[in-house]
Amino acid sequence: DTEKYVEANNALLSTDYSNINWYILRYADVLLLYAEALNEWKQGPTTEAYTALNMVRRRGFGKDVQTPNTNVDRSGLDYKTFQQAVRDERAYELAGEGIRDSDLRRWKLSHTLLNREEYGITGKRLLTRVFRENRDYLWPIPATEIEINGSLEQNPNW
């Protein structure tokens, strides 16, 4: 409920219209984005990147976030293994929050992870997921926006 972040005199205007117009990020999301950005920028994990990642891990394991803990902390990783550690931690920590698709698109992993067949418990194929690498990383530009701005061109393969 986002209304808890708004002062009482500035509360919900109606049941279908809220005056809150911002995206709320969890602190764990911010820490993991920071760790990821530092790793990408420096082409390897920094002390600050480890601190951010390990704070999230410690909280997840019920430990004090400010106190190093050799049982849960990550250390000694190179660029690629730290990158994967952050990606894994995002999957664990932010599961069910509706941002995994954005992460997979940002990392350009959707075409490898989403193209698969899915089967039911009886073994019957339910569906085949198809993510087209040459098209689906970009969303289509709405036709109304192209009509408004004639200099816009539709994204490739849409």
Side-chain angles (χ1 to χ4, degrees):
D1 180 24
T2 55
E3 288 300 315
K4 65 184 175 185
Y5 300 106
V6 179
E7 295 178 17
N9 62 354
N10 194 21
L12 190 64
L13 301 176
S14 71
T15 57
D16 63 342
Y17 179 72
S18 174
N19 56 349
I20 295 178
N21 193 20
W22 63 79
Y23 185 79
I24 296 175
L25 291 172
R26 285 195 31 227
Y27 187 52
D29 192 3
V30 174
L31 289 172
L32 292 170
L33 287 170
Y34 182 61
E36 179 183 346
L38 286 172
N39 189 53
E40 294 298 322
W41 177 36
K42 301 292 185 175
Q43 289 299 293
T46 64
T47 302
E48 294 85 3
Y50 277 117
T51 298
L53 173 63
N54 289 330
M55 285 176 69
V56 174
R57 290 182 55 79
R58 290 177 203 143
R59 191 214 49 83
F61 280 94
K63 309 295 183 188
D64 177 19
V65 297
Q66 299 299 332
T67 305
N69 187 306
T70 56
N71 292 327
V72 299
D73 285 0
R74 295 312 220 53
S75 63
L77 305 177
D78 63 8
Y79 166 76
K80 285 302 246 182
T81 52
F82 187 85
Q83 181 185 61
Q84 190 60 51
V86 169
R87 290 175 178 181
D88 291 343
E89 200 63 35
R90 288 187 66 79
Y92 308 143
E93 181 68 27
L94 306 171
E97 296 194 16
I99 59 175
R100 187 70 176 161
D101 182 61
S102 297
D103 283 347
L104 294 178
R105 286 173 185 270
R106 180 165 48 89
W107 299 326
K108 298 286 191 241
L109 295 176
S110 295
H111 67 284
T112 59
L113 297 175
L114 298 182
N115 285 336
R116 65 179 190 270
E117 293 182 345
E118 294 191 5
Y119 296 86
I121 58 173
T122 62
K124 180 181 176 187
R125 188 180 71 178
L126 299 175
L127 59 96
T128 301
R129 294 183 183 270
V130 177
F131 186 95
R132 294 174 208 81
E133 185 176 6
N134 65 344
R135 181 191 91 161
D136 293 338
Y137 279 113
L138 295 175
W139 294 101
I141 299 173
T144 53
E145 297 302 319
I146 294 174
E147 290 172 11
I148 292 170
N149 183 349
S151 64
L152 285 178
E153 293 181 14
Q154 186 57 270
N155 284 325
N157 301 310
W158 282 98

